[in-house]
Amino acid sequence: MMDKKLLDVAIIGGGPAGLNAALVLGRARKKVAVIDAGRPRNAVTREVHGFLTRDGISPSEFRRIAKEEINAYPSVSFVADTAVSIVGSDGRFQIETEQGQTFASKKLLFTVGMKDQPLAVPGLAEVYGKSAFVCPYCDGWELRDQPLVIITKGTELMHFAPLISGWTNRFTVCTNGPDELTDTEREEFQRNQVPLYDSPIRYIASSDGIVRQVILEDGTTVPCTGIFFKPDLVTGSDLPQTIGCEITEWGAIVVDEFGKTNIPGVYSAGDAASRMHQAIAAASMGAFTAAVINGELNTEAWGRNG
Ligand SMILES: Cc1cc2nc3c(=O)[nH]c(=O)nc-3n(C[C@H](O)[C@H](O)[C@H](O)COP(=O)(O)OP(=O)(O)OC[C@H]3O[C@@H](n4cnc5c(N)ncnc54)[C@H](O)[C@@H]3O)c2cc1C
């Protein structure tokens, strides 16, 4: 007997990846619920940059417009809640939420994003998203030619420093402890006249979210108007791991080129399944994975009826 309440796809996470997946699946006439806790990683920031036709939009306005567009497709519903447990297998997963709701779904799509581990540097939380950022493609233009501090070390630093130099040549590196560089790598900074300090950071001084100085334990003060740093990230939800999805050493869900995880019927897209943390990349991956899921649902139904 057909179960009318059975969803085709439960999308867990309603950021750009989940929303674009919902749009594609809604247009493909699939019954979908987008379960979203409403805590995106970019909630700290005021503007989303680099998304064609939406450059500079606020994260909340982006989501509002997305939902308005998706509402044209009646088979998609939005659930403001947190998924807390999942049981079952391909064809019938059961999802329980924090508020006690239960959903059953043939397929699962995790678009849960990533979340920051607590920021260890005193004063960083006050400036994060206002004058301290993580990605120069997202916020480098706004900080162009300004005196900046980069906070990272080792291999990450060797990648980050030449990248940042495309937006400003007035930057200082604070490694906040041993720099984890070789002598040859340190010489690279000298050649490029980039100051490098390895004293731990005592605190970041700011006013109204704008960084003024980075103060080091050895008494050095580095005046600056912006910061780029590399946060430690974990998957936006423990659920993928709980149901057995493989996770990379940097905290992302392992997927193949079609967005499939190692668990049949379970997919992932967006920041949670990629190293390219940008809204348009997340949306694109969500759209593509939705098409993969839709193709599988249609093929399965065709096979059953044939
Ligand atoms: C400071 C900062 C600035 C940024 N600026 C830009 C920018 O200018 N341009 C740009 O392109 N990108 C920017 N980004 C990156 C961009 O925000 C991400 O790439 C994008 O949001 C990823 O989309 P997503 O859908 O994968 O995840 P997210 O947008 O993070 O959405 C994930 C959603 O899943 C929900 N969720 C998690 N677990 C559960 C659960 N168990 N149940 C229900 N819901 C759950 C979360 O609450 C969240 O709403 C920035 C990021 C940061 C941190």
Side-chain angles (χ1 to χ4, degrees), residues 13 15-17 35-39 42 49 63 83 128 138 271 277-279:
I35 303 170
D36 183 41
R39 286 190 296 270
N42 68 351
H49 299 113
R63 285 182 174 218
Y128 188 26
C138 300
D271 279 15
H277 294 170
Q278 284 203 280

Side-chain angles (χ1 to χ4, degrees), residues 11-19 34-51 55-57 59 63 79-85 95 97 110-116 128-130 132-135 137-139 142 229 231 233 235-240 269-273 276-283:
I11 299 178
I12 308 197
L19 291 168
V34 182
I35 303 170
D36 183 41
R39 286 190 296 270
R41 210 180 132 224
N42 68 351
V44 292
T45 194
R46 294 170 182 150
E47 296 182 346
V48 178
H49 299 113
F51 200 118
D55 196 34
I57 195 169
R63 285 182 174 218
V79 180
D81 205 344
T82 304
V84 289
S85 89
I95 304 121
T97 71
F110 284 119
T111 45
V112 293
M114 298 295 279
K115 62 183 176 201
D116 293 288
Y128 188 26
K130 299 182 188 81
F133 300 98
V134 293
C135 159
Y137 294 101
C138 300
D139 300 289
E142 284 63 34
F229 71 105
L233 298 174
T235 327
S237 161
D238 295 339
L239 278 179
D271 279 15
M276 184 66 186
H277 294 170
Q278 284 203 280
I280 201 155

